[in-house]
Amino acid sequence: MTQVRRSDLTRNDRFGVVLVFFLTAGALGLGLLLRQGTYNQTWSYASREAGIEAEYPSTWLVDEEGPYVARIRDPKARPFKTQYIVQVVPAGGQTSVRNVLDNLTLRRSTDLAGYRVLNVEAINVGGATLTEMRFAFVDSDPNPFIQRLPVVVLGRDVVILDGDRAIIVTFMAQENKFDEELGDFQQFLSSLRY
Amino acid sequence: MLITGLLAVLLAVPQVTAQEAATPLPLTQARQATVFLMQTHDVGAAQSLSCVGSGTLISEDGLILTNAHFAADSGPCQGERIIVALPVRLDEPPVPTYVAEVDQIDRRLDLAVLRITGGLDGSQVDRELLNLPAVPVGNSNETLPGNTLTYVGYPDTGVSSVRAVEAPISLITREKSGSGSGAWFRTEAELGGVMSGGGAYNQNGELVGVMTSAPGTDGSQRGDSCLAIQDVTQDGLITEQDACVLIGGPVTAIRPVQFAMPLVDSALLGFQTDRAEGLPIAPGNNPQFSRLFFSTGATPGGNPTQIITAAPAGITSLYLFFDYNGMPAGIPYELRVTRDGIEMPQFGLGPLAWGGGIDGMWYIGTEGIAWPNGAYQFDLLLNGQIVQSARISIGVDPDQAVFSSLTFGVPDDNLVLDPVGTLLPAQVARVDGRFTFSGIPDGQVWTEIWYLDGAEVSNITRNWDNGPTGQIDVNAIAFEGLPMGRWRLELFINDRLAATGDTILAGTQNPSTRQVDAFNTVRIANNISREGTPAGQVGTVMPVDTRGLYLFFNWNLIPVGTEWTYRWFLDGRVIASSTQRWDGGGTGENFWVSLSADSSLPEGNYAVEILMNGEPMFSETVTVGSGTRPSAAPEAEADDVFITGQVVDALTGDGIAGAMVAILDVALESPQFTWNESEILSQAITDRGGRFVLPVPVKQGNFYTIYVFAEGFVTIVEDNFTIPSDQPSPTDIRIEMNHP
């Protein structure tokens, strides 16, 4: 025998359930929006000495102590910290973009394990044609007592000749995150003022 | 906005085995600083091991103190590549990690300092970032027989983890290589040959010695000292055609670290020494030992004090002397001593790598320990084969007729010997050998023989008529002047060698001081021309950016093959020293020795000293810059604590790989942090097990802000992170992270 049991909920009860459902969904949506807002939030970087400004993702770490104008890293990324590096090198009248890239390659071939240039091509950034070099290397922890697995890192250098100097903007990320992070780098590149 | 998460910082019990837990902290550091070394050479396109051994990290930027024979470009261990394996986990075998090159080497002492230069993949290393565990170097002059040392090295061919053995010093062996002082600490502990090159530590955890043992053979025969473990020919089989891997014989000798200090200082300061190229000297071949005899001691110049053929009971000082010639550098030599047919390893020595030059007179002796009565046999071995033997009885009546205390000198008009020693001026008309005698009956037949460079020049046999006891001179005379060279006097009673000694005649006699005058026109320059003459600035004051110092001198009447030494000093401390055989020819100009650095030489007061046959010849001083050395970098303070640890998933307990741990400068809390890395005191990224090592220490009791970042986890921010004052360094912490 089949027994049919009607709900004991009143109309107000049902309204309450619906209200709770929508409030929960709304709160989740607001949370996601806030979270997305946090993720998309940018902070400003300015180097008065180099005359360079840019917008970079919030809560990334800025380092100005190395042989560069700035290195900006995502401390959360793991194991390799996704990073943007801005360098300025002198460029004479006879210096070509290719010369700048070749110098980078010479230096990296001794500093980085498994360094390899993938390709060099022209790209368009904000209507300007720039030269981009794609490269890869293997990153490992120099501390031999730390058992960190080496990771393959992909990178891009974008070279901007600016009078008697060349600005090199480098993006590096772990190989499996490179495409995912590329959009943020393009935003960083677009925001660059010099 | 960041969410402050739960920081669970637990001061964890160090994760070590029971055996290690009982290990005092300094010894843990010593074990971490002990590396396994592999010398390899190219065989076609492959690499083949030639020798293995141990070494000790003596600086955080990768300087390794070890034996020279591992690293030498001659001898059985020669190779193209030195691979350094580190004890990444103390209870596991070492992990090949780096390649190293020779920075400083002294074959005579069998000591070398290696420098880590790159990774195994050929990449360069930034030495300033290496931050390797290194041990402090102690004062071996304060180490005495009876003191307990801990010996740390690898027991086999890299299969086992680093090993520490504790045992007292049983005695000190003297050898010509130690130039009169205690050349070797001896131990009766069982130390495998691969531990050679590893360190010996005092109770404070300071390095006071280097274990030393050479392969007993040249590798032509397999056995305990040459292991067939690799298919060099790559034919799928290990056969007689495959080269074996040489390992040292059991270690019984420890070279006191004081001998290594000039090498260590030179490497730490980045100095290199060089010298003018000499005349080609044929390398030793057909090595031989000969003329074995016993003495009660050795003079500072290396001659025997009193030759004996038998000794009374209770004798505490006994030396074996012998001649050597044709000796190639690095050849394995050994002394084995048996008493009534039973081996007495504490009185033997080696096997060790030869570093004494091609020819000369050598000694090995002990003092301060009573020799038990018995019939002793001393066997000298080369390449594992006995080549010469000598016998002596102890506990019997000694020789009654004795010549002793033979001294060489140039007599003045009153027959006072001035100068005396083992380096005398050439071109003088007469050199005397003065000795004391006792128990010689009148009428006793005795013989006096003089040699020059190994050739007999005089042989006189007489009947004794000088009474039973006293002192007497014998002499070599040449009115046209005695030629330069190595002179030897042998005195026999009947056919028994009763006294002998060597002296070098070199240079001319300074008329006012009567001393040897073999060098002149001494000057120091800060550069050298292509022709090998002084260039740049010449004088006793050099500018602050000086990169090298060159000592130039002319020389007169120096026999080829004479042992000579140059020493560089900085502010009174020896920073480089090398003892070699003279190969510049008899007379010439502009011989030079140099001291240089990769960058500018540090400001300070420098001096260089030249010795011949152990006798000081001259010294010269020079000031670089203001003469005041910049103060050294501050060393780690007592309240500094290094932090290691693990970042784990709070839910699963699994380590989180790739997390970033950062500690802000002590003055900063999270609200003041501007996300600039200059505000970070120390940071590290976790390994695949979530483990990390912060490279900069924190101070006990201070409050710091710690951040821990990891993708997929809530960022941790803790403003009141502190290490209590009773925590040791390194302190291990555990950090738990939560998912969002």
Side-chain angles (χ1 to χ4, degrees), chain A residues 81-101:
Chain A
K81 305 300 176 196
T82 304
Q83 55 195 259
Y84 310 151
I85 297 173
V86 180
Q87 300 175 72
V88 172
V89 296
Q94 296 177 317
T95 305
S96 68
V97 170
R98 183 72 198 202
N99 298 145
V100 175
L101 293 174

Side-chain angles (χ1 to χ4, degrees), chain A residues 35 38 41 43 56 59-65 71 73 75-79 81 110-114 141-149 177 180-181, chain B residues 1 32 86-89 97-98 121 123-124 132-133 656-660 673 675-678 680 683 685-688 691-693 709-711 713 715:
Chain A
R35 177 189 161 104
T38 302
Q41 191 179 339
W43 289 348
Y56 68 94
T59 71
W60 283 31
L61 291 168
V62 177
D63 176 22
E64 297 171 296
E65 307 279 314
R71 181 184 66 176
R73 292 195 295 166
K76 286 189 168 187
R78 62 192 182 99
K81 305 300 176 196
T110 57
D111 292 350
L112 302 177
D141 198 306
N143 186 339
F145 298 97
I146 287 293
Q147 295 180 339
R148 208 181 105 199
L149 294 178
K177 293 180 182 170
E180 184 187 323
E181 309 262 9
Chain B
M1 189 177 78
Q32 286 176 331
L86 300 181
V88 172
R89 299 284 179 266
T97 310
Y98 297 117
D121 58 358
S123 60
Q124 291 184 334
L132 296 167
I656 301 173
M660 182 176 187
F673 184 38
W675 297 81
N676 193 306
E677 291 194 36
S678 63
I680 295 174
Q683 57 175 294
I685 296 172
T686 58
D687 69 3
R688 62 187 179 130
R691 296 205 60 83
F692 65 91
V693 177
F709 305 96
E711 191 174 26
F713 293 88
T715 298

Side-chain angles (χ1 to χ4, degrees), chain B residues 475-693:
Chain B
N475 43 58
I477 296 175
F479 294 111
E480 70 279 15
L482 291 165
M484 68 173 182
R486 188 172 74 194
W487 287 78
R488 167 170 291 178
L489 172 62
E490 286 182 339
L491 298 170
F492 291 84
I493 298 174
N494 280 333
D495 294 330
R496 173 172 65 86
L497 181 66
T500 187
D502 292 350
T503 188
I504 301 290
L505 267 54
T508 56
Q509 187 167 34
N510 185 299
S512 56
T513 66
R514 296 184 59 83
Q515 301 298 313
V516 174
D517 203 351
F519 300 94
N520 56 71
T521 324
V522 176
R523 61 268 191 225
I524 291 182
N526 66 357
N527 211 336
I528 186 170
S529 70
R530 288 188 174 190
E531 293 74 33
T533 56
Q537 194 164 327
V538 179
T540 56
V541 179
M542 296 294 168
V544 71
D545 59 347
T546 295
R547 297 175 70 96
L549 295 172
Y550 294 82
L551 170 76
F552 289 89
F553 52 84
N554 300 345
W555 71 100
N556 183 36
L557 297 178
I558 299 180
V560 170
T562 302
E563 199 170 88
W564 71 291
T565 302
Y566 61 89
R567 289 182 190 152
W568 287 93
F569 297 80
L570 173 56
D571 296 336
R573 179 169 180 162
V574 179
I575 46 154
S577 176
S578 179
T579 296
Q580 307 179 359
R581 296 301 182 102
W582 181 257
D583 56 3
T587 300
E589 294 181 344
N590 286 330
F591 199 92
W592 57 267
V593 295
S594 69
L595 178 76
S596 59
D598 295 337
S599 54
S600 300
L601 292 170
E603 292 182 66
N605 294 309
Y606 291 78
V608 55
E609 181 181 33
I610 301 290
L611 302 93
M612 300 225 49
N613 220 26
E615 300 282 340
M617 291 286 97
F618 70 90
S619 64
E620 196 74 1
T621 59
V622 60
T623 300
V624 173
S626 64
T628 304
R629 287 181 73 186
S631 57
E635 295 182 0
E637 296 177 14
D639 57 350
D640 283 346
V641 176
F642 282 92
I643 296 175
T644 62
Q646 189 182 24
V647 179
V648 299
D649 185 328
L651 199 61
T652 64
D654 295 338
I656 301 173
M660 182 176 187
V661 181
I663 291 183
L664 303 189
D665 282 335
V666 68
L668 284 175
E669 290 195 350
S670 56
Q672 290 100 45
F673 184 38
T674 66
W675 297 81
N676 193 306
E677 291 194 36
S678 63
E679 298 166 344
I680 295 174
L681 173 71
S682 189
Q683 57 175 294
I685 296 172
T686 58
D687 69 3
R688 62 187 179 130
R691 296 205 60 83
F692 65 91
V693 177

Side-chain angles (χ1 to χ4, degrees), chain A residues 18-38:
Chain A
V18 171
L19 186 63
V20 167
F21 174 77
F22 279 107
L23 281 175
T24 306
L28 278 172
L30 184 64
L32 283 172
L33 280 173
L34 281 172
R35 177 189 161 104
Q36 200 60 31
T38 302

